[in-house]
Amino acid sequence: MRKILFALLIILLFCWSSLFGQAKVGTAGVQFLKIGVSARGVAMGEAFTAVANDASALFYNPAGLIQLKHSEAIFSHIDFPAGVNYEFVGFVYPMTRTNSVWGFQVGGLWTDEMIETTPEMPYGTGRTFTASDLAVGATYAQRLTDKFTVGGSVKFINENLADEAAYGWTADVGTFYETGWQRIVIAMLVSNFGGDMNFVDGPFPMPMNFKVAGSIIPIQTRNSHLIIDTEFSHPNDNLEMISIGVEYTWKGIVSLRGGRKINGWSRDKWEDSIDPDQKLIPGKDPFVEYPVIDEEGKLGLDGFSVGGGLKFESIGLSIDYAYASYGFFGSIHRYTLGYKFKGF
């Protein structure tokens, strides 16, 4: 057991150092791998790594799947602006005899047909094209002790734009530690760890991310259940970020959720951040996505999310919804259906 834990620590440290070594803002590709697949997780500000107690753990933390006692399926739909859609389907199968869990997932993003234009024909060439991304993966989680679990996923990635395509592989590695004290859980995740992809002779790194999270259940009674998750993430292509999520459930039926992402105290106006030579003025930062204070000096709404859900335990069905603000991209609505197969 000590050898396994030591090997896992080495892997996590290696991934952590890799993230720091490649940290360049805005340089990673296949950004669709960052899209939160669960309305429940998104509503909690995607602070879900140390919760991960449903089939969406396929994305948020594969080690968390060990909490599932029955097979589960999940389907999510996201309708982005400009005719962009995203779908995610996942299935999880617990193996109680071996204290392990298997899972499979498929996520895809695609656009409607777009008119092809060129400098010579700015109003269209008469042809259309589409863009799409696809990720297909398998997941395995294994309980190593009564409190500690490790899990991982391997995913095949495909990206298409008109007549061009790129292919690659990524891996996720997560841990889930139930401390046994005050219902506190500590979790870690390294996501999208893999080699560079190459698109039309232009290599780019994967959008790797390292997360450390902790959750606590301060209220757990017959009718009320409250869980709070806080996590720190370090992506290789953006600023570090803190996420906080809260979920309150009444009688195991109705849930209300809220969350907040923070990756900077304030965001400056573009016109106040660029000098006459079009260079960024030191101390100014218009690139902050989720500031506490926006460019107008008010409390920033970007990064806030809310949502809710209904669970019909008798038939194994759950329905979740999330509303999140994404600044210039407006607000996005997400819907997720979950189904628990109680027969196996």
Side-chain angles (χ1 to χ4, degrees):
M1 179 58 62
R2 290 182 179 179
K3 291 182 179 179
I4 294 175
L5 295 177
F6 179 75
L8 178 63
L9 178 61
I10 294 298
I11 293 173
L12 291 174
L13 288 175
F14 173 75
C15 294
W16 174 260
S17 63
S18 298
L19 287 172
F20 274 110
Q22 300 181 29
K24 295 180 180 179
V25 174
T27 58
V30 286
Q31 293 291 302
F32 83 104
L33 292 176
K34 295 181 176 181
I35 297 175
V37 304
S38 164
R40 182 186 177 199
V42 170
M44 295 177 67
E46 296 196 63
F48 204 66
T49 305
V51 178
N53 57 0
D54 58 29
S56 68
L58 288 165
F59 174 85
Y60 290 104
N61 185 359
L65 291 173
I66 203 67
Q67 302 174 87
L68 277 62
K69 305 303 180 184
H70 302 278
S71 296
E72 288 190 19
I74 181 175
F75 172 75
S76 283
H77 169 76
I78 307 172
D79 187 9
F80 288 107
V84 179
N85 296 279
Y86 181 82
E87 316 286 350
F88 179 87
V89 178
F91 178 75
V92 178
Y93 183 71
M95 306 280 286
T96 55
R97 292 184 179 180
T98 58
N99 285 322
S100 61
V101 180
W102 284 95
F104 303 93
Q105 57 182 295
V106 179
L109 179 145
W110 68 89
T111 68
D112 293 335
E113 288 194 351
M114 295 178 282
I115 298 174
E116 180 186 69
T117 61
T118 66
E120 295 77 18
M121 305 181 70
Y123 298 104
T125 64
R127 298 200 310 166
T128 61
F129 69 97
T130 61
S132 64
D133 294 289
L134 176 69
V136 180
T139 300
Y140 179 75
Q142 177 68 59
R143 185 182 291 279
L144 301 181
T145 72
D146 61 336
K147 296 181 179 180
F148 183 75
T149 303
V150 62
S153 299
V154 177
K155 292 177 285 188
F156 168 74
I157 312 299
N158 170 233
E159 185 170 65
N160 291 279
L161 176 60
D163 300 325
E164 302 293 340
Y167 305 91
W169 295 87
T170 67
D172 302 340
V173 178
T175 64
F176 195 85
Y177 179 62
E178 301 167 89
T179 65
W181 182 72
Q182 299 295 323
R183 295 183 289 274
I184 292 176
V185 171
I186 299 173
M188 291 189 294
L189 175 72
V190 176
S191 60
N192 304 319
F193 180 74
D196 291 357
M197 285 180 65
N198 189 53
F199 193 89
V200 194
D201 297 324
F204 55 83
M206 295 293 183
M208 291 186 290
N209 199 355
F210 179 86
K211 294 184 177 182
V212 179
S215 68
I216 185 172
I217 303 176
I219 299 176
Q220 186 171 15
T221 66
R222 182 178 180 180
N223 295 326
S224 298
H225 183 275
L226 177 67
I227 187 168
I228 302 172
D229 186 302
T230 302
E231 62 187 53
F232 167 84
S233 64
H234 177 85
N236 68 337
D237 63 345
N238 212 319
L239 302 175
E240 289 82 1
M241 182 166 60
I242 295 175
S243 299
I244 302 172
V246 179
E247 177 186 64
Y248 172 77
T249 302
W250 180 73
K251 290 189 175 181
I253 301 174
V254 180
S255 296
L256 298 177
R257 307 175 183 115
R260 179 71 160 94
K261 296 179 180 179
I262 302 171
N263 71 339
W265 176 255
S266 63
R267 180 173 61 210
D268 299 294
K269 295 182 180 179
W270 279 99
E271 58 268 28
D272 296 334
S273 305
I274 307 298
D275 64 18
D277 296 325
Q278 298 299 304
K279 294 182 179 180
L280 188 65
I281 299 175
K284 298 289 186 178
D285 193 352
F287 298 103
V288 174
E289 294 178 280
Y290 308 117
V292 176
I293 305 298
D294 64 17
E295 59 267 44
E296 301 297 332
K298 302 177 181 178
L299 182 67
L301 296 179
D302 298 345
F304 272 112
S305 55
V306 295
L310 293 173
K311 182 177 291 186
F312 306 95
E313 191 66 32
S314 59
I315 59 175
L317 180 67
S318 62
I319 303 173
D320 295 300
Y321 164 79
Y323 167 93
S325 174
Y326 286 89
F328 297 112
F329 293 101
S331 301
I332 297 176
H333 306 273
R334 307 184 191 222
Y335 306 89
T336 300
L337 289 176
Y339 185 77
K340 183 181 297 183
F341 299 87
K342 293 187 177 182
F344 65 100

